[in-house]
Amino acid sequence: MENVLVAGANGTTGKIIVNLLDKSQYFTPIAMVRSKDQQSQFENKNIKTILGDLEEDLSHTVKDIDKVIFAAGSGGKKVVEVDQEGAKRLIDVSKVANIKKFVMLSSMGADNPESVDQLKDYLIAKQKADLHLKDSGLQFTIVRPGALKNDAGVGMIQLKEKLNKRGDISREDVAQTLVRVLHDDAANNAVFEILEGDTLIAEAIDKV
């Protein structure tokens, strides 16, 4: 079993990721949360937690960790501090700790923030975080979903490096995709976009 640090574990998508990892036969989740009052929801399920603030030193969070999923987000309040610099901070300590794989939850539009009217600051922050990961030397996968919705997952996606269209996708299907690419042989050093589609998640990822 590999230990997977989930940054942003207290977020809506983060909680789904942690639960998926908890049921996995390959991975053990370590839920990274910012405050003590966020720990009990995980510890009540016997899920390990670690306190970590993306605006502060994170070197302790990657001790005994094999892989990382970055699913944290500022919700638009601190895009530079959290979505950009927080991600870069975690990437840097992951490199020092020889993390085997770093999976980044990015966003459609992060490759070209200038083309978007809304959320430009957020997408610029995501773009800079993605570039930092690409340049880090770490094994990585960057997943760029369309608009996130809270509907139940369908288990089917469309996946391409560039889909050239907009759309949405359930958080459950995004979480399933992020967990799937954690595997050593899946989508290494790849960047791709995903929307709801008609290809099974595992099948779509196998073609990357």
Side-chain angles (χ1 to χ4, degrees):
M1 300 282 279
E2 293 183 307
N3 289 331
V4 179
L5 180 73
V6 182
N10 192 53
T12 312
T13 308
K15 286 175 184 170
I16 302 169
I17 293 166
V18 171
N19 287 332
L20 285 172
L21 291 170
D22 192 41
K23 293 175 192 160
S24 163
Q25 59 185 327
Y26 305 104
F27 306 114
T28 302
I30 314 294
M32 183 175 123
V33 293
R34 206 172 56 209
S35 58
K36 286 190 173 173
D37 60 347
Q38 296 172 346
Q39 290 180 294
S40 58
Q41 62 186 316
F42 299 110
E43 291 174 350
N44 290 341
K45 300 180 191 172
N46 292 318
I47 294 169
K48 291 178 187 168
T49 63
I50 189 158
L51 287 173
D53 188 330
L54 288 164
E55 294 184 73
E56 295 175 12
D57 179 46
L58 295 168
S59 45
H60 65 287
T61 64
V62 287
K63 192 172 178 240
D64 301 323
I65 295 293
D66 298 294
K67 294 174 179 174
V68 172
I69 294 181
F70 186 92
S74 65
K77 297 183 191 94
K78 289 186 167 185
V79 292
V80 173
E81 295 89 340
V82 173
D83 301 276
Q84 178 181 309
E85 294 306 312
K88 287 164 73 173
R89 202 171 277 121
L90 189 55
I91 290 162
D92 290 345
V93 296
S94 294
K95 185 170 184 184
V96 172
N98 293 314
I99 293 299
K100 289 195 253 174
K101 196 168 197 179
F102 194 110
V103 175
M104 175 74 84
L105 173 54
S106 184
S107 175
M108 203 174 262
D111 60 326
N112 188 12
E114 300 307 321
S115 66
V116 183
D117 294 331
Q118 297 172 314
L119 301 174
K120 190 176 285 185
D121 290 347
Y122 169 72
L123 291 173
I124 289 170
K126 294 304 286 182
Q127 181 187 50
K128 288 182 177 175
D130 291 356
L131 289 170
H132 193 75
L133 178 55
K134 281 179 168 175
D135 293 340
S136 69
L138 285 165
Q139 183 107 282
F140 69 86
T141 310
I142 297 170
V143 180
R144 292 175 169 162
L148 301 179
K149 58 181 182 176
N150 293 320
D151 303 13
V154 295
M156 315 271 274
I157 58 173
Q158 48 187 314
L159 181 160
K160 271 189 184 174
E161 187 174 340
K162 186 78 180 158
L163 283 165
N164 292 313
K165 60 178 170 181
R166 295 187 183 184
D168 51 29
I169 183 168
S170 75
R171 292 177 186 275
E172 281 186 12
D173 288 334
V174 172
Q176 291 272 14
T177 303
L178 294 169
V179 170
R180 182 75 192 184
V181 299
L182 277 173
H183 292 279
D184 290 329
D185 57 353
N188 288 324
N189 301 328
V191 186
F192 55 79
E193 298 179 345
I194 53 171
L195 293 171
E196 194 170 287
D198 51 16
T199 306
L200 287 168
I201 290 171
E203 203 177 298
I205 290 167
D206 283 347
K207 292 175 183 167
V208 175

